[in-house]
Structure formats: C-alpha cells, structure tokens
C-alpha cells in the first residue's frame, strides 16, 4: 500500500482525499494546519498541526515512507508551500501543487489589483466609506488605522487589532449571488476587498459587486514556487497515477 500525503484545508484537498480514499492500494493522510476551529474534515486519516518546518516534514516523509505529496493548501499559504517544496526535495519525494485557477475580471468588473493587504488598505480612503472585507481573519492589522466602516466576514473570529468601526459576520461559504446582493445592499457597501483565492465557493460576491457597479480591491496571489502543478482534482489524480506507476486506477 502506497502512502500519499495531502496538505489540505481547501475544497480541492477534500475532494482529492474523497477520490483517493476509494482506492484500495493507497493510504491517504490529510494534514490540516489547524487555523480553523471546526474544519471540514476529509475522509481517511487526518492530522492537525505543523511538522516543524521543512526539516521536520522531510523527516516525516522519510519515516512514513510517503510515495507522493500533494500540496492542496490555500493559494495564499505561501510559507506552507515553500516548506513542502523544500521538504519533498530533501526527502526525494515527488510533490504536486494543486491550485484552483485564479479569478479573472470580466466585462463590467471594476477591479483594482494590488500585491498586498497593506496596499489594499492604502487605496480604500479614495474609494469609499463602507468596506466589505473578506481577506480572512489574519492580517486585519493593515486596516486598523483607517477611520472607515468595515463589515468583516470570516469563518472564525478575527484576530486583533481591528479597525475601530468594525462589524464581524461569521459565515462559511458557499454563498449565492442573491444573498451577496442582499448583504451588500443591507450594509450600503461602497467597496469590496478580497484575496484572489479563486473557486466557486466565494465568487458570488464578485458577481454581486459587478451588478451593483462597486469597485473590488483584489489582492493578487504570491508567486508559486517552481514545482509541478495542476488546477483540477482530476489532473492531480492523473499525476499521482503517473509518479506512482499505478496506471489508470482513478476511474
């Protein structure tokens, strides 16, 4: 039985674990960082918490005789990905980065692309007074000095410091366009701020912003390290079949 490690925490990581859990010749371990209090757990073996940096992960890969690693973490979890790439190289273990495609602006979108949360915060005073902030619960300190009204939506309570005028909405996607339109109208939102995480679970806010002709401040993804990559679960399974010499077992 071949062991596969999935560095998860995304819907793609869960879907991959579901598909691989059906394969009798694979033992799948999903690793979650532990940053969400009540994560949606994939099937199969699950471990929570770090490995102790790239050296610790490399030791674990060798000790557990892992045949392949799939990094299906969030597109903005750059430190985890960098550690995984370094560890896999140390251990001589094949690694694939599974990343959903980034969102792309369409006709009618008013996106202001920025490379960081700090630059997103710097843009806001010239764009509006009421901000819908959906960049996650970490990094909100970049917005703390702004005297604007913020509606902050996160899965878990956000980490301080927060802007002085902040309303917190705890919710987990997927969200519908109908509900996002209602939310933006109810709070009289002027600007939407988000990270370009991609995927369908939280894209409805972008459609709602387009319909309401609201500007979107879009924080771009960090550069992806040099490593094999795939955009879909099906492509990740095909890669695993290839590096593990399994043939077409995925069905």
């Amino acid at each position: 039985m071949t062991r596969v490690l999935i560095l998860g925490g995304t819907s793609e990581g869960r879907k991959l674990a579901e598909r691989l859990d059906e394969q009798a010749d694979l033992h799948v371990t999903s690793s979650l960082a532990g940053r969400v209090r009540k994560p949606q757990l994939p099937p199969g073996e699950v471990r929570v918490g770090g490995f102790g940096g790239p050296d610790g992960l490399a030791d674990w890969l060798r000790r557990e005789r892992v045949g392949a690693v799939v990094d299906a973490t969030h597109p903005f979890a750059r430190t985890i990905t960098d550690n995984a790439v370094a560890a896999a190289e140390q251990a001589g273990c094949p690694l694939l980065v599974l990343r959903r495609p980034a969102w792309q602006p369409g006709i009618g979108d008013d996106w202001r692309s920025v490379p960081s949360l700090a630059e997103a915060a710097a843009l806001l005073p010239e764009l509006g007074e009421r901000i819908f902030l959906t960049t996650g619960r970490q990094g909100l300190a970049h917005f703390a000095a702004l005297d604007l009204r913020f509606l902050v939506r996160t899965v878990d309570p956000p980490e301080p410091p927060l802007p002085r005028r902040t309303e917190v909405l705890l919710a987990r996607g997927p969200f519908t366009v109908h509900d996002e339109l209602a939310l933006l109208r109810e709070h009289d939102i002027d600007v939407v701020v988000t990270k370009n995480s991609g995927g369908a679970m939280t894209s409805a806010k972008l459609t709602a912003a387009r319909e309401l002709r609201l500007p979107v401040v879009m924080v771009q993804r960090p550069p992806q390290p040099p490593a094999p990559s795939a955009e879909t679960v099906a492509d990740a399974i095909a890669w695993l079949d290839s590096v593990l010499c399994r043939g077409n077992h995925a069905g």
Side-chain angles (χ1 to χ4, degrees):
M1 184 174 291
T2 303
R3 188 159 196 168
V4 174
L5 173 65
I6 300 174
L7 302 175
T10 60
S11 58
E12 290 79 16
R14 289 190 296 275
K15 291 175 183 176
L16 180 60
E18 289 170 2
R19 292 286 300 277
L20 297 183
D21 190 57
E22 300 169 356
Q23 308 302 318
D25 61 329
L26 296 179
H27 178 96
V28 179
T29 300
S30 295
S31 176
L32 308 180
R35 292 176 179 172
V36 177
R37 293 183 179 180
K38 294 182 179 180
Q40 295 176 294
L41 297 179
E45 181 183 353
V46 178
R47 72 179 306 280
V48 178
F51 292 89
D55 293 340
L57 176 54
D59 289 342
W60 192 90
L61 295 176
R62 286 188 289 257
R63 184 172 64 251
E64 300 297 329
R65 299 182 180 180
V66 174
V69 179
V70 178
D71 172 20
T73 55
H74 192 276
F76 284 81
R78 179 61 192 266
T79 299
I80 297 175
T81 297
D82 285 345
N83 287 348
V85 170
E89 184 175 353
Q90 285 185 43
C93 184
L95 176 139
L96 178 78
V97 177
L98 174 57
R99 289 286 184 276
R100 68 187 76 137
W103 293 317
Q104 301 295 332
I107 297 174
D109 284 323
D110 179 11
W111 287 14
R112 318 296 174 93
S113 295
V114 294
S116 67
L117 291 174
E119 295 195 43
L123 274 184
L124 292 182
E126 67 185 58
L127 294 178
E129 166 72 15
R130 292 167 294 277
I131 317 299
F132 183 35
L133 188 57
T134 65
T135 56
R137 67 189 182 95
Q138 298 176 320
L140 300 183
H142 293 288
F143 304 90
L146 296 177
D147 189 24
L148 304 172
R149 295 185 182 276
F150 286 87
L151 175 64
V152 175
R153 183 169 69 192
T154 61
V155 175
D156 291 323
E159 298 179 355
L162 304 177
R164 181 175 61 85
R165 295 190 288 172
T166 295
E167 179 178 349
V168 175
L169 174 62
L170 300 182
R172 187 196 299 267
F175 305 103
T176 67
V177 174
H178 177 271
D179 289 342
E180 296 292 65
L181 282 168
L183 183 69
L184 295 177
R185 287 171 173 147
E186 176 187 352
H187 292 270
D188 200 17
I189 294 298
D190 298 318
V191 188
V192 176
V193 183
T194 190
K195 292 179 176 178
N196 197 334
S197 58
M201 288 188 67
T202 60
S203 64
K205 64 193 170 193
L206 304 177
T207 304
R210 182 191 312 132
E211 291 191 18
L212 297 177
R213 298 183 178 181
L214 299 180
V216 175
V217 178
M218 183 69 69
V219 181
Q220 296 304 313
R221 297 178 177 186
Q224 190 166 297
S229 63
E231 292 186 341
T232 68
V233 170
D235 287 343
I237 292 173
W239 177 85
L240 284 167
D241 287 342
S242 175
V243 300
L244 300 177
C245 301
R246 301 177 63 236
N248 186 16
H249 291 203

